[in-house]
Amino acid sequence: SATLMVEKLGNDIVLTDSQKVAIQKIAEEYIGKRQEANALEEKEDALSMKMEAEKEYKRALDLLLTDEQQTKLQSKQEERKQNRQSSN
């Protein structure tokens, strides 16, 4: 859910209340577009639509987050990626 996405992001970086509200809206749009994509019968179209939704979500986050927040978020994502690789 969009609320869960905001909470997860809030676990990685400190968000202002206004950022939480804005990210909630962005996440709801993202989820809606992914659900639309899932309804498509053509797998390639669905994948393309999901990838575009992901790009839009990340672009919107980039505009909303400060440079410091972006840096911290990237660091947390890298950390998780390394943890996944070492556990496999």
Side-chain angles (χ1 to χ4, degrees):
S1 77
T3 303
L4 191 60
M5 290 174 74
V6 174
E7 286 175 9
K8 186 176 175 185
L9 195 56
N11 289 337
D12 288 342
I13 57 176
V14 177
L15 298 169
T16 65
D17 289 343
S18 62
Q19 284 177 318
K20 289 177 185 176
V21 170
I23 293 169
Q24 176 81 25
K25 290 178 184 174
I26 293 166
E28 287 169 0
E29 287 178 22
Y30 169 71
I31 289 169
K33 289 178 182 179
R34 287 196 51 102
Q35 288 172 339
E36 281 180 46
N38 287 336
L40 296 176
E41 290 186 28
E42 187 60 48
K43 297 271 188 244
E44 280 187 36
D45 290 345
L47 181 59
S48 176
M49 193 171 179
K50 287 179 185 180
M51 289 172 65
E52 187 58 34
E54 179 90 13
K55 281 185 206 172
E56 288 175 15
Y57 175 74
K58 288 183 178 180
R59 242 185 317 230
L61 274 186
D62 285 347
L63 293 173
L64 193 61
L65 300 178
T66 65
D67 290 344
E68 184 180 334
Q69 287 172 317
Q70 289 176 23
T71 301
K72 188 166 184 177
L73 182 60
Q74 287 171 345
S75 173
K76 290 283 190 177
Q77 289 170 339
E78 274 299 311
E79 191 178 301
R80 272 197 296 278
K81 186 177 177 183
Q82 289 177 354
N83 288 342
R84 278 194 307 267
Q85 289 174 347
S86 64
S87 66
N88 288 339

